[in-house]
Amino acid sequence: MELKNKPHAKGTKALFKNKFLEKLTRTHIAIPLVVFSIISTGLLIYGFQESYLTTLSALLLFIGGFMSFTLVEYLMHRFVFHLTPTTEKREKFAYTVHGVHHDYPKDKDRLAMPIPLSLALATGFFFLFRLFMGANVFGFLPGFLIGYAAYLWVHYMVHAFQPPKNFWKVLWVHHGIHHYKDPGNAFGVSSPFWDVIFRTMPKK
């Protein structure tokens, strides 16, 4: 897949004429980081208080949740955010949820999902995981949510800061290739792990 338009080096774009809806599309990065850290901590504390978790089970479930999110991140980015628009409505949906970010990758207010939507999804995941794993959700979901928070922070740093002169630079390069060279590959943001597994690593 080749770039259709050259990304803007700065600036932003309004998605809605309605001021309230437009405001909902913009999220300060600190808000979801703080909110999901608090929720994750509360779930773990509740799990221990109710004897649903032991130290070992909490650790294993947390890691499992964290790794599961990295897979969800990859799949969402590849198959939802980059879906092929076959109708005008799908094209508008694709642009609203992700295309605008590719047009204005330096827009810091659009590097995180609106908090009402992310909270609704987190609630949905809670009931889904609770259905399949019972009380283990109190160890698994915190890992999943912290995985999301880690993804947000990495994504923010990659777009907002200059690349560091250490091994973390690989994340800047990997995501930069996705934005500026090869949007049909390099879908992993927090890690290129799933790109390696599913063979979507960009050519060197």
Side-chain angles (χ1 to χ4, degrees):
M1 184 186 297
E2 297 181 355
L3 287 171
K4 293 182 179 180
N5 300 302
K6 185 178 180 181
H8 295 81
K10 59 182 179 179
T12 187
K13 181 179 181 179
L15 291 174
F16 298 99
K17 293 181 180 180
N18 184 290
K19 291 183 178 180
F20 178 73
L21 291 178
E22 176 63 21
K23 191 173 182 61
L24 284 179
T25 69
R26 301 181 179 279
T27 306
H28 191 284
I29 192 65
I31 296 174
L33 296 181
V34 171
V35 167
F36 288 111
S37 294
I38 292 173
I39 292 174
S40 298
T41 302
L43 289 170
L44 285 169
I45 291 173
Y46 183 81
F48 281 115
Q49 286 180 338
E50 297 297 317
S51 299
Y52 294 144
L53 302 172
T54 64
T55 301
L56 180 60
S57 69
L59 178 62
L60 293 177
L61 287 166
F62 188 93
I63 293 173
F66 190 97
M67 292 303 297
S68 294
F69 177 80
T70 64
L71 176 58
V72 171
E73 170 208 323
Y74 173 89
L75 295 175
M76 289 289 291
H77 191 187
R78 180 177 178 181
F79 296 110
V80 178
F81 296 164
H82 282 270
L83 62 82
T84 302
T86 54
T87 65
E88 188 175 334
K89 287 184 177 180
R90 288 187 69 176
E91 185 173 5
K92 184 177 181 180
F93 170 80
Y95 188 83
T96 300
V97 300
H98 195 62
V100 67
H101 171 55
H102 272 263
D103 271 358
Y104 297 89
K106 297 295 184 181
D107 186 353
K108 296 179 183 179
D109 288 339
R110 288 220 174 97
L111 295 177
M113 188 183 299
I115 196 68
L117 180 57
S118 59
L119 282 172
L121 287 172
T123 302
F125 277 120
F126 173 82
F127 288 110
L128 178 66
F129 296 153
R130 183 71 186 267
L131 179 65
F132 287 100
M133 61 179 61
N136 287 331
V137 69
F138 294 103
F140 187 87
L141 186 60
F144 192 87
L145 295 180
I146 293 300
Y148 174 60
Y151 150 78
L152 288 179
W153 182 234
V154 169
H155 194 213
Y156 182 83
M157 289 193 297
V158 166
H159 285 289
F161 304 144
Q162 292 298 315
K165 296 180 180 180
N166 53 42
F167 69 96
W168 290 108
K169 184 178 179 180
V170 67
L171 297 179
W172 269 253
V173 173
H174 190 71
H175 197 54
I177 289 172
H178 174 74
H179 269 278
Y180 300 103
K181 296 290 185 181
D182 188 2
N185 285 302
F187 296 104
V189 176
S190 56
S191 167
F193 175 78
W194 296 109
D195 284 303
V196 174
I197 298 299
F198 294 114
R199 299 181 180 181
T200 51
M201 286 291 288
K203 294 179 180 179
K204 292 184 179 181

